[in-house]
Amino acid sequence: MKRSALVTALTTAALLGGALVSQASATEAPACTASDADVYAPPTTVPATPGTVLACRSVTLSQVPGNLAMSAWKIRYSSTDNQGRPVAVSGTLAVPTAPWTGTGTRPVVAFHPGTLGLGPQCAFSKQLAGAYQDEYEGDNIAALLRAGYAVAATDGPGYLDGRTHTYVAGTDSGHALLDIARAAPAVPGSGLSRQARVGLWGYSEGGAASLWAAQLAASYAPDLNVVGDASGGIPGDLKAVAAGLDGSAFAGFLADAAVGIQAAYPALPLDPLLNDQGKEAVRTAKSVCLAGTVTALAGKSIKDFTTAGLTLDQLYQQRGSDGRTWGQVLDAQKLGVNLGTYKIAFPVLQYRGALDEVIPTATEDAVRSAYCAAGVRTGWKIYAGDHLLTDNQAVGDVVSWLGDRFAGRSAQNDC
């Protein structure tokens, strides 16, 4: 779906109220001869070494505009969930055909897409290859490739067959983003170096993922040479975001968050709390992509879906089998806290839209303030658009900012 068509769809909705590789020590996978089905098939076992390439397949990215000369692959690789358990994740690697002419080796941008929906067909890797169309960030990928950078775009955890995407689960998504950067050099024919400079980028759901990756990089992936992170439209406090979404035109994102967090933290109660309407809403959320999520669930409230008519605050008090409440788990996803523990040694660029109608701007501003207070060199920019349009408005600035990081130039600090 083209961005203009998607904007129209969302506006209307708002108004309507292979080769399986198991060698963890391998420096490069065998030839990329996996079938498309193999890429999305959950493996029986997953290597404990994050970033191991498990399967790969050469593809054409028909939804990256500009007819750019590139080599591209769908890949399945190993990562780690929030409990430290090995998991398999799918994604895309794209490398420009033209030789890299900059200093050093070709840089890699690890990219996490914004919200696409929970349906299996919504995976970014499937959409970029043209199997289904509801994505809106092909322009972002094209801009990076035109600049000469390799792009390692994770789908995020949970798009393999029979799984559920762990939407807005911070540790899971941050790990997945770092691990696709680890996996990229092991894809046959990529020509990438394990010492390559790595940039992180994401917007909306992807912005939270890339900031989590930034916070976790030093402790989880010290082998990566991360030089900068660009994050926009950040849902930094899920409780604040939920308060704005509940009963709104974009209430579908709240349903996605409930399903995604429970998938990441299965001890939390969800199904036992739901009435028939709530169970149907979950089935819908798990089957549709972005436009369908907004349209089908616009104007709904959590109290409509629960047998006890729970408010958000009452939901947060519900305790899981591990003793933690919904509220405690959501607080654990909050960005900009414990920055004394999360050591960020590289610059960060944060940005948002002045007219953001999905994420409360106060929440986005609070993340920026927390980073500044912690001494993180933080760039900051506000664009004139709403939530969706700002993603596109920022592309040129973000690619330029990442280019400066790859060139070793000093980053402006807007704190």
Side-chain angles (χ1 to χ4, degrees), residues 301-389:
S301 173
I302 187 68
K303 66 177 183 296
D304 300 327
F305 297 147
T306 54
T307 56
L310 298 175
T311 64
L312 285 173
D313 286 340
Q314 290 169 330
L315 173 65
Y316 299 153
Q317 296 170 19
Q318 304 303 306
R319 194 171 301 277
S321 59
D322 64 353
R324 288 197 293 177
T325 66
W326 270 94
Q328 289 170 325
V329 170
L330 293 179
D331 284 341
Q333 315 310 312
K334 190 173 181 179
L335 283 159
V337 298
N338 298 324
L339 290 178
T341 300
Y342 299 125
K343 303 295 185 182
I344 302 176
F346 45 81
V348 170
L349 172 66
Q350 295 184 33
Y351 57 98
R352 67 165 174 84
L355 304 176
D356 198 324
E357 77 285 36
V358 178
I359 309 297
T361 56
T363 302
E364 299 171 278
D365 295 348
V367 176
R368 177 252 184 140
S369 296
Y371 271 60
C372 287
V376 179
R377 181 172 287 271
T378 303
W380 177 249
K381 187 158 186 179
I382 298 176
Y383 293 87
D386 62 8
H387 186 72
L388 182 62
L389 292 177

Side-chain angles (χ1 to χ4, degrees), residues 156-208:
Y159 282 109
L160 300 187
D161 296 341
R163 305 292 168 82
T164 299
H165 176 44
T166 56
Y167 182 67
V168 296
T171 300
D172 301 72
S173 58
H175 286 171
L177 187 58
L178 294 166
D179 287 330
I180 198 168
R182 283 168 153 164
V187 174
S190 72
L192 300 173
S193 168
R194 293 191 180 278
Q195 286 71 49
R197 293 150 292 173
V198 174
L200 310 172
W201 186 13
Y203 184 80
S204 192
E205 177 195 358

Side-chain angles (χ1 to χ4, degrees), residues 24-123:
S25 60
T27 57
E28 187 173 275
C32 290
T33 57
S35 68
D36 198 67
D38 287 339
V39 172
Y40 301 103
T44 303
T45 59
V46 180
T49 302
T52 302
V53 176
L54 306 176
C56 54
R57 170 183 175 81
S58 296
V59 293
T60 298
L61 302 184
S62 62
Q63 299 308 306
V64 174
N67 295 317
L68 303 174
M70 71 178 89
S71 297
W73 302 264
K74 287 183 177 181
I75 66 172
R76 188 182 68 203
Y77 62 98
S78 62
S79 188
T80 312
D81 71 7
N82 61 79
Q83 298 297 311
R85 298 169 298 201
V87 294
V89 181
S90 54
T92 303
L93 175 65
V95 181
T97 301
W100 170 248
T101 58
T103 58
T105 60
R106 189 188 303 273
V108 176
V109 177
F111 183 88
H112 194 298
T115 299
L116 296 176
L118 303 183
Q121 75 276 20
C122 312

